Structures are given as structure tokens and as C-alpha cells.
Amino acid sequence: ACQHRLWPEIDKVVQQQVAMARMGIGECGSGWQLFAEDGEMKMYRREEELDGMVVDPLKAVHVVKGITGHEVCHYFFTPQYRYDWETTLEQMNVLETISDDTLMFMQTHKRIWPASQRDVVFWSHIRKLPNEKDRDGPDIWTVVNNSTEHPDYPANNGKCVRIFLKVCLMCQTRVDPPKDGTPLSRENVSCKITYCSVVNPGGWAPASVLRAVYKREYPKFLKRFTAYIINQTKNKPIMF
Ligand SMILES: O=S(=O)(CCO)c1ccc(-c2ccc(C3CCCC3)c([C@H]3C[C@H]3c3ccccn3)c2)cc1
């Protein structure tokens, strides 16, 4: 993967995104407003516009029992599961297998009235990072999705408006070993998930419509995605 033309960009964006994800909400600078909460899940956004378009950064934090960061990133990165959990996906194609940890996708999302239908081309990279805080603790796993261009899929040449996104899913596993020395089980693991995204909707859409879409869709996405992983992994060995 080192020699691929995208490698320098991938490495730079991954380092950037992970640094951002690691910062707590307080450190990320003010302006974050909590817009959704459900148990351990907290969703924040900052209201930002670019040329009159809503490009609100989103940051969600969640703690889920019984799964690990490797499992969360595995089910997020691997194409074959995506239709199971990505509710708004209409079409997904793998355009390029850059390496075993880096893929390029083309996706069309279901049209959300009154906005026109959207599509997106992005590279997706999965990576394990050393746990700097706790040397012998479980590693951190991350998936970064970043818009890119592909010669065969020029933007806005068909029915869809091309969106641009930068997404970072960063997961930190926590293990609380059983006191009585019994073997580790899923009751002893949990995962702290940080999901950051900035989406540029590409073409104009009313701010009120976009903010309503995000307010509805993001909590739904994260709840459905984590429930899917719990269900997929419950009778399988733990993936650390
Ligand atoms: O994390 S990922 O990489 C997962 C890989 O699939 C990701 C996340 C979100 C999107 C996305 C981008 C734009 C929109 C809007 C913009 C104007 C009209 C459509 C939506 C709308 C469909 C809604 C939505 C919002 C949040 C979550 C899921 N669905 C979704 C794409 C990819």
C-alpha cells in the first residue's frame, strides 16, 4: 500500500482525523451543541455554513458493552455488511481495492425529499493504532472515509449531486477482567466509539431540511449500526 498514489494523502488525513477524534468535546473548541442523547450515546454538532450551504461538523460519542473496537471497525469498513446497517444506502460499488486495508467506494444514497439524490466517491482506510495512554492496553482501531475523485465517475454528470465527506470512526476497547479468574467473555469488554463527520451536501438544500435530516438520521444510524454489531458478534469469538 505504501506505493499507491493516494498513500501520502491517506496517511496525512488519518493522522489528522485521529488527533481530532481523540480530543474531548471541551478541547475541540467551543461551539459544540449537544443535539441528541440516548443512554450512553451523545451527539454534538457545530453550526457551520460554507457558501450558504450547511456543513455542520458532527461528533458522536457512545459506549457499547459486549463488543470491541476491532469488531466495530471491521463491520464499518467491510463492504459486504454495509447494506445491512446503512439505512440510506441505495447503491454501493467498490471501485478499487487499493490494499487489504484501503478501498475506494462509489455510493448513492436514497433521495431525501425535497433535496435531490446524492452520490459520493471516497477512499476508506482501516488501521490499528498503538494505545499511547496504556502501553499494554488494547489497541485503538479506526476507519477513515474521505471523499476523492475517480476518472470514471465525474461529479454531477448524472442525476445525483456529488457530496463531499470526511468521516472518522475511532474505537477504544476496554477490558475489565473477571475477578474470579474465569475466562474472558463479552461481559468483560466494552467499546468507546467516537464518530466524527463533516459532510458538504454538494448542491444547495435548505438549511432547515438538512439539519432535520441529520438530526433524524445520525442517531438512527449509530443505534442501528451498533445493534447490528452486537447481533452479529454475540455467538462469535471476541475479535481484539
Ligand atoms: O459514515 S459513512 O461514510 C458510512 C458509509 O456509508 C457516511 C455517512 C453519511 C453519509 C451521508 C452523506 C450525506 C447525506 C445527505 C446530504 C444531503 C442529502 C443526503 C446523508 C443522508 C442520507 C442521510 C444520512 C445522514 C446520516 C447518516 C446516514 N444517512 C448521508 C454518507 C456516508
Side-chain angles (χ1 to χ4, degrees):
C2 310
Q3 78 289 350
H4 190 273
R5 62 183 166 74
L6 282 174
W7 191 248
E9 175 187 310
I10 290 170
D11 212 32
K12 181 169 63 73
V13 173
V14 169
Q15 304 290 351
Q16 250 173 14
Q17 287 296 304
V18 167
M20 285 277 287
R22 275 185 166 142
M23 288 198 288
I25 283 294
E27 304 156 84
C28 273
S30 61
W32 288 101
Q33 47 176 274
L34 180 69
F35 76 88
E37 197 167 357
D38 182 331
E40 291 293 325
M41 183 180 77
K42 292 181 174 56
M43 289 208 154
Y44 303 85
R45 72 166 174 219
R46 273 211 310 265
E47 298 210 350
E48 286 182 16
E49 302 203 359
L50 184 69
D51 306 332
M53 283 190 300
V54 164
V55 289
D56 300 355
L58 177 118
K59 186 164 186 155
V61 288
H62 197 3
V63 178
V64 183
K65 290 190 184 337
I67 55 178
T68 66
H70 187 183
E71 290 167 339
V72 174
C73 288
H74 170 72
Y75 286 99
F76 187 74
F77 174 75
T78 309
Q80 74 199 56
Y81 308 114
R82 195 157 300 168
Y83 286 108
D84 299 344
W85 54 263
E86 176 65 286
T87 46
T88 62
L89 194 59
E90 185 172 274
Q91 180 78 26
M92 171 196 67
N93 303 303
V94 177
L95 301 182
E96 225 180 299
T97 300
I98 294 168
S99 59
D100 60 0
D101 61 7
T102 311
L103 301 171
M104 193 181 293
F105 292 96
M106 157 75 178
Q107 291 187 176
T108 56
H109 284 259
K110 288 181 183 133
R111 180 167 183 262
I112 295 193
W113 186 87
S116 42
Q117 187 166 28
R118 257 64 183 185
D119 67 12
V120 57
V121 173
F122 60 95
W123 52 256
S124 182
H125 176 73
I126 186 168
R127 184 181 294 189
K128 181 169 70 171
L129 300 161
N131 180 337
E132 284 160 9
K133 287 203 185 85
D134 169 4
R135 284 252 168 272
D136 53 12
D139 296 309
I140 291 174
W141 280 85
T142 187
V143 175
V144 175
N145 293 345
N146 190 50
S147 293
T148 188
E149 293 176 355
H150 191 284
D152 303 352
Y153 296 88
N156 305 320
N157 75 327
K159 62 183 160 114
C160 292
V161 172
R162 177 64 49 90
I163 63 170
F164 302 91
L165 58 78
K166 204 175 276 244
V167 169
C168 177
L169 175 72
M170 192 187 74
C171 301
Q172 171 72 64
T173 305
R174 212 185 109 124
V175 179
D176 299 299
K179 307 281 172 289
D180 52 5
T182 52
L184 211 57
S185 75
R186 287 195 177 273
E187 281 98 65
N188 311 120
V189 297
S190 63
C191 179
K192 181 170 184 283
I193 299 171
T194 302
Y195 175 89
C196 301
S197 86
V198 179
V199 172
N200 179 325
W204 187 82
S208 56
V209 165
L210 281 179
R211 287 191 172 123
V213 165
Y214 295 143
K215 191 172 171 72
R216 184 184 71 232
E217 293 295 335
Y218 275 115
K220 196 164 88 177
F221 148 69
L222 199 52
K223 279 166 63 108
R224 179 186 170 101
F225 175 54
T226 49
Y228 173 76
I229 300 164
I230 288 166
N231 192 38
Q232 286 290 313
T233 55
K234 65 186 172 203
N235 302 320
K236 292 192 178 90
I238 304 174
M239 255 166 98
F240 283 104

